[in-house]
Amino acid sequence: MYARIIHKYFALIVFSQLVIWLTTGFLLGQAEHSKPLTRAGSDPIVSSVSPLKLLPVESVLSRLPGTLTIELISLMGNPAYKLLTHYARHTNERHYQLIDAVTGQNIQLTESDIRDLVSSQFHLTSPIKDIRLVSPPIEHLPKEQQSVWHIRLSDTEKTHIYIRASTGEIAGVIDENKEWINVLMLLHFMDYERTGSFDHWWIKLLALLTVLLSITGITWLVSRIKNKQMQISWSHSKHKLVVRDPQGHTQSVIASANDSLLDSLQHSAIAIESVCGGGGTCGQCVVLLNSSASISVAEHYRLSPERLASGYRLACQQDSELNRAVELVECSKRSTLSFELISNTFITPFIKELRFQYQGTEALDFKPGSFVQFTIKEGQSLTFPEHLPKRFQRYWPCCEPKTFFHPRTVRHYSIANRTDGSGVITFNIKMQPAHSPNQRPGIGSFHLANLNVGTVVDLGAPEGGFNLPVDLSKRDIILIGGGSGIAPLKALIDELIFGMRATAPITLFYGAKHPVELANHCWLKVVGSQHANFTYQPIVSNTSSIWCGQTGYVQKPLDAFLSAHRALDRCLFFVCGHPAMMKDVSSLLTRYSVNERAIQIDSFSPFTTT
């Protein structure tokens, strides 16, 4: 478990730097390495001075015994000795001293000397703007360890010339384009501290993380293979899976090597409970396997040690290829009911409200928070929603409507209304578009959302639901939802206010990314305005010019609510939304010592909306 968590964060860091490398490498290849200044010819050592007039080298060395090397150079047309007094590996780190080769006096370059030197070294097309002496650290020359003269030109390229004060040598020529290239080089080589070198701890740290990433990846892979949680397969083969029901009857079904047991069973029309759609959060798809079968983190959390030792596992966590025989713990013959689709309407850019009319004669009864199983037959569905309102078109990715093939599958959706005797059930189904042309969109959501009004379908009878106490007068109801997770909470609000006529305080915290993605927003606002005991707090994570309400995540206003509440022991909490949000909310409630029995979670994973 820990190797997996460490591997995930190491991979994120290394992948981020890899993206930076690739991006900056491409930009460096495209960058224009301009040369706005042209250099004049090198200044030869003046031949008009007789060697007899030059100060003997021996006398210079006797005056400066620490000199390592001595070199005769031409400085602005005059002979000079350049003495190396301190050696270093790089030129910019060495120390020099200039001596007039005729008089023997130390040479200290002045601003006037530098102006003449620049004019003699370059063919200037623009006048000099200013000259000043600067000491390290130097912005454009992070490796430079000596004082330099900084010359700025009045050209459009914003050219900077740097000349070493000790020798009069050119330390660097930087223009606007070179600055941009330096920034790319900084990012490319991770030189965030501007050392001007490859030898720094950022690169060493990334190298270490890459090594650790490889180690944790191999460790995790070996662990999964050893624990029989996966196997290496070079083909998408199919195999026989022997299924035994609680009555002792067996049957063989065909399963794909890459499918989980849950997918294999559901694709073969074998009824098995799973509200979370394979996320391992509901703990309902319990099956009996060999006791040596691998145990996942979700199974450790959802099943007791005694059941795990006996071979009980979650079908969604087990590979069908590694478990060729499975015994069903419960195999109920789920009854099916006939419904007619009476409306199919977009309520957000991606969520559609589907209303079905029950076709039977007996009363249809269900609890708020109930769910229904939809069986999607093998076939083809459209990749783009039909009759998409014009106001929502800009939120959808541009793609050509076409069809895609999908296998038989099963999906579960929560009912979004109360039972009122009319036989109508409502669903908020979020359509999951394909993220790329090579991917297919959500099977269940696109199939159902593109059904035509009047279509008759057979659905599973409503199951599950929230448990409400008989006496609500001494309770506060707090609902926390996100995205399409509002469906069961809307049904609960509908039941509490219009069915039970409850007077208990009801507070809803509902979060979405964008204001237009707040499903049933108008209905909730109307209910809040007409019923004093209901408080509606919508929160939007992305700021928008059309939104004046709260921004951020539901956890923040919920935290403030909990800290201000003086009787949390009488509160009942109902949570439904994305797993990450529910995890944070559960942790927050635990921090405030809320009793687990006072929390009901309608779990779903992203797979339930596909």
Side-chain angles (χ1 to χ4, degrees), residues 128-385:
I128 295 176
K129 188 175 182 180
D130 64 59
I131 300 175
R132 59 193 177 95
L133 183 65
V134 295
S135 300
I138 300 167
E139 179 183 2
H140 295 139
L141 304 174
K143 293 191 295 182
E144 189 62 49
Q145 301 297 319
Q146 303 182 35
S147 297
V148 296
W149 287 94
H150 180 194
I151 301 96
R152 291 195 303 163
L153 302 184
S154 302
D155 56 356
T156 56
E157 292 84 4
K158 299 180 180 178
T159 304
H160 303 261
I161 302 174
Y162 292 93
I163 296 179
R164 293 192 179 99
S166 61
T167 62
E169 296 174 337
I170 307 298
V173 179
I174 308 294
D175 58 27
E176 197 173 42
N177 185 60
K178 187 67 180 294
E179 288 189 48
W180 164 242
I181 293 175
N182 287 343
V183 171
L184 294 179
M185 292 290 288
L186 179 145
L187 295 174
H188 193 72
F189 295 107
M190 303 177 63
D191 190 13
Y192 303 124
E193 296 183 351
R194 292 184 174 272
T195 62
S197 166
F198 302 111
D199 186 18
H200 53 76
W201 73 273
W202 282 101
I203 284 184
K204 296 175 183 177
L205 177 62
L206 186 71
L208 177 62
L209 290 180
T210 304
V211 172
L212 293 177
L213 175 66
S214 302
I215 295 174
T216 55
I218 294 173
T219 303
W220 183 24
L221 177 64
V222 172
S223 175
R224 288 180 62 84
I225 295 175
K226 183 179 179 181
N227 294 332
K228 298 181 180 181
Q229 291 180 315
M230 69 172 293
Q231 68 174 13
I232 300 175
S233 176
W234 304 107
S235 61
H236 298 284
S237 60
K238 294 183 179 295
H239 59 274
K240 285 186 178 181
L241 177 65
V242 179
V243 183
R244 178 187 178 93
D245 65 21
Q247 288 73 39
H249 303 106
T250 61
Q251 62 174 309
S252 296
V253 300
I254 302 300
S256 297
N258 295 325
D259 282 349
S260 67
L261 280 178
L262 177 63
D263 291 334
S264 298
L265 295 173
Q266 290 185 339
H267 291 166
S268 302
I270 297 177
I272 181 170
E273 297 293 345
S274 177
V275 180
C276 71
T281 58
C282 68
Q284 295 185 359
C285 58
V286 181
V287 294
L288 185 60
L289 304 175
N290 190 294
S291 59
S292 62
S294 63
I295 303 175
S296 69
V297 176
E299 289 167 332
H300 273 296
Y301 181 72
R302 293 293 176 185
L303 302 176
S304 65
E306 294 76 18
R307 300 196 80 188
L308 290 173
S310 300
Y312 289 94
R313 301 291 187 271
L314 298 180
C316 65
Q317 302 294 302
Q318 298 294 323
D319 192 329
S320 63
E321 177 70 16
L322 301 176
N323 299 277
R324 299 299 183 94
V326 56
E327 182 176 338
L328 303 178
V329 177
E330 294 182 3
C331 186
S332 60
K333 293 293 184 179
R334 180 182 280 107
S335 60
T336 58
L337 305 176
S338 182
F339 290 85
E340 179 184 355
L341 181 63
I342 58 176
S343 71
N344 189 345
T345 309
F346 274 98
I347 57 176
T348 77
F350 297 98
I351 298 178
K352 298 197 78 173
E353 181 184 80
L354 276 68
R355 299 176 67 245
F356 290 89
Q357 177 66 56
Y358 177 49
Q359 300 296 292
T361 56
E362 65 274 14
L364 181 67
D365 190 26
F366 53 88
K367 296 195 299 183
S370 296
F371 63 90
V372 167
Q373 175 178 298
F374 288 78
T375 300
I376 313 299
K377 297 181 180 179
E378 179 181 305
Q380 292 185 331
S381 295
L382 289 173
T383 61
F384 199 79

Side-chain angles (χ1 to χ4, degrees), residues 469-478 502-505 565 567-572:
V470 177
D471 184 13
L472 289 174
S473 60
K474 297 182 179 180
R475 293 287 191 174
D476 287 9
I477 310 297
I478 293 84
T503 58
H565 204 287
L568 291 178
D569 56 328
R570 74 180 187 188
C571 294
L572 293 176

